[in-house]
Amino acid sequence: MSTTVSAKNGTWRNWGGNVIARPARQVEPASVEELAAAVRAAAEDGLTVKAVGTGHSFTSIAATDGVLIRPQLLAGIRGIDRDAMTVTVEAGTPLKRLNTALAREGLSLTNMGDIMEQTVSGAVSTGTHGTGRESGSIAAQIRGLELVTADGSVLTCSEKENPEVFAAARIGLGALGIVTAITFAVEPLFLLTAREEPMAFDRVLAEFDQLWAENEHFEFYWFPHTGSTNTKRNNRSAGPEQPVGQLAGWFEDEFLSNGVFQVAQWVGRGAPAAIPAIARISSKALSARTYTDIPYKVFTSPRRVRFVEMEYAVPRAALADTLRELKTMVDRSGLRVSFPVEVRTAPADDITLSTASGRDSAYVAVHMFRGTPYHAYFTAAERIFTAHEGRPHWGKVHTRDAEYFSRVYPRFGEFTALRDRLDPERLFQNDYLRRVLGA
């Protein structure tokens, strides 16, 4: 996505527009060997190294004043193993390209996030996830990884090979090396039936455990200043395919979710007092609908309205309390929040710094329109999330540091010890990693 990257005066900007970096040089390696050479050259020149995907992180996780590695040329599928049911893909491959290529081969990932603009390595390195009762984040579907480490060597890992690296590097934050290829588990292409319908906020919370248990993928959006939500349930289906009609799809996904929504955000930014009224209208604009399609067409949707986001994973059992506290805070605060709050879930996994590491999790994401002040809202929301031992998404706005993470991640020390071993000189260090992992 060329829109996310600006090379003006060697400056790089993220998609949300809230992070700017001025690297000493930018490198676009065309092979793993070229990438390894760039890493060795940076070390010789005393420069740090970071890889960047499409800039969809709201944190400065990819920012550097050293060497910025752009992996666009490291893209495409290396191979499909139909016996093992895996696909190996180059790190710079956009998820969109992976999903469409797999579908052509009659294959699919089991679960995915709600956008597919990111590169595969950027998505997994920050813990990108969708929603699922049994199926976890994109990183939880990894079966093997290849990365260039600080000494310029190529390391491969899986459950059998370098398992301690595999446990951590699936969500490695760019701290352990530069991912060059990923092997994902895949399965035969299947159909999902999506059922979207409005539901009262209080009813969703009262019935949340049941809605979670009855659906393979359940999520909802709550519109602040209202008692309304829009729910979405995705379940496997025997078919037949019944995609959203072109006109209906354009109206719901482009006109309402992007076009009208964009205008509403502009109005809200100019006249914050109008936001509660806009929210009430927005919450009623989307009607119930059901459709059946292949997974990536159901899981993902276009997001053209630019925003800034904070998301925390709380224990699933703490979700209702967390949301009620969030609603009370918004109602009492005088804040004007024009973006819906997104709620998803993930089962516990075994990845060292996964937000779902060792516990069933619920995700609560708060957003603000790009260019509107978000600090007061995010600070108040973060206070609620951290009171429930929340773990922030590594690629979204938060103020937590290593001391906090060492409390909420039981295996935090395991990750930092591995980093000491793989990158003792801190070649892959930046300000963000200094804060979240410690110096």
Side-chain angles (χ1 to χ4, degrees), residues 311-325:
E311 180 186 66
Y312 267 76
V314 296
R316 204 182 69 233
L319 175 69
D321 287 346
T322 303
L323 277 177
R324 285 194 189 98
E325 289 162 26

Side-chain angles (χ1 to χ4, degrees), residues 51 108 155 194 208 223-224 230 268 293 309 329 360-361 374 408 413 415:
S108 177
L155 176 82
F208 177 74
F223 296 82
N230 202 43
D293 215 327
E309 179 178 2
M329 179 275 288
D360 290 342
S361 300
Y374 59 84
V408 297
F415 188 97

Side-chain angles (χ1 to χ4, degrees), residues 141-207:
Q141 299 168 71
I142 294 176
R143 295 294 172 266
L145 270 183
E146 175 187 274
L147 62 162
V148 171
T149 55
D151 61 3
S153 62
V154 180
L155 176 82
T156 54
C157 61
S158 65
E159 278 180 354
K160 294 190 175 68
E161 186 182 13
N162 297 309
E164 74 295 343
V165 178
F166 184 67
R170 281 173 286 169
I171 299 180
L173 318 185
L176 305 175
I178 293 181
V179 175
T180 46
I182 303 170
T183 300
F184 290 106
V186 290
E187 55 177 303
L189 193 63
F190 54 94
L191 292 173
L192 283 172
T193 292
R195 183 171 149 211
E196 298 174 8
E197 65 172 326
M199 195 179 284
F201 178 85
D202 291 335
R203 184 183 156 199
V204 173
L205 291 195
E207 297 177 14

Side-chain angles (χ1 to χ4, degrees), residues 113-323:
D114 58 9
I115 61 167
M116 52 180 184
E117 307 303 328
Q118 314 100 307
T119 59
V120 291
S121 56
V124 302
S125 295
T126 54
T128 298
H129 62 90
T131 190
R133 185 183 58 204
E134 283 102 16
S135 53
S137 68
I138 302 177
Q141 299 168 71
I142 294 176
R143 295 294 172 266
L145 270 183
E146 175 187 274
L147 62 162
V148 171
T149 55
D151 61 3
S153 62
V154 180
L155 176 82
T156 54
C157 61
S158 65
E159 278 180 354
K160 294 190 175 68
E161 186 182 13
N162 297 309
E164 74 295 343
V165 178
F166 184 67
R170 281 173 286 169
I171 299 180
L173 318 185
L176 305 175
I178 293 181
V179 175
T180 46
I182 303 170
T183 300
F184 290 106
V186 290
E187 55 177 303
L189 193 63
F190 54 94
L191 292 173
L192 283 172
T193 292
R195 183 171 149 211
E196 298 174 8
E197 65 172 326
M199 195 179 284
F201 178 85
D202 291 335
R203 184 183 156 199
V204 173
L205 291 195
E207 297 177 14
F208 177 74
D209 288 340
Q210 184 185 347
L211 288 162
W212 171 82
E214 287 174 356
N215 296 283
E216 289 171 75
H217 309 274
F218 177 69
E219 64 186 305
F220 66 94
Y221 295 86
W222 163 58
F223 296 82
H225 313 295
T226 78
S228 308
T229 76
N230 202 43
T231 63
K232 184 176 180 182
R233 316 160 203 217
N234 300 331
N235 290 288
R236 293 197 184 213
S237 163
E241 266 184 62
Q242 287 181 310
V244 177
Q246 262 186 313
L247 183 62
W250 175 84
F251 182 71
E252 294 267 335
D253 298 324
E254 289 298 336
F255 183 67
L256 289 179
S257 299
N258 285 300
V260 172
F261 190 56
Q262 174 83 55
V263 173
Q265 297 303 314
W266 284 331
V267 172
R269 188 165 68 186
I275 286 174
I278 293 170
R280 286 191 289 276
I281 296 163
S282 298
S283 70
K284 292 181 171 62
L286 297 170
S287 50
R289 63 175 180 171
T290 302
Y291 51 96
T292 301
D293 215 327
I294 59 174
Y296 81 83
K297 292 183 179 178
V298 173
F299 284 131
T300 70
S301 51
R303 291 269 189 281
R304 302 194 209 290
V305 180
R306 302 274 172 132
F307 54 83
V308 178
E309 179 178 2
M310 168 183 279
E311 180 186 66
Y312 267 76
V314 296
R316 204 182 69 233
L319 175 69
D321 287 346
T322 303
L323 277 177

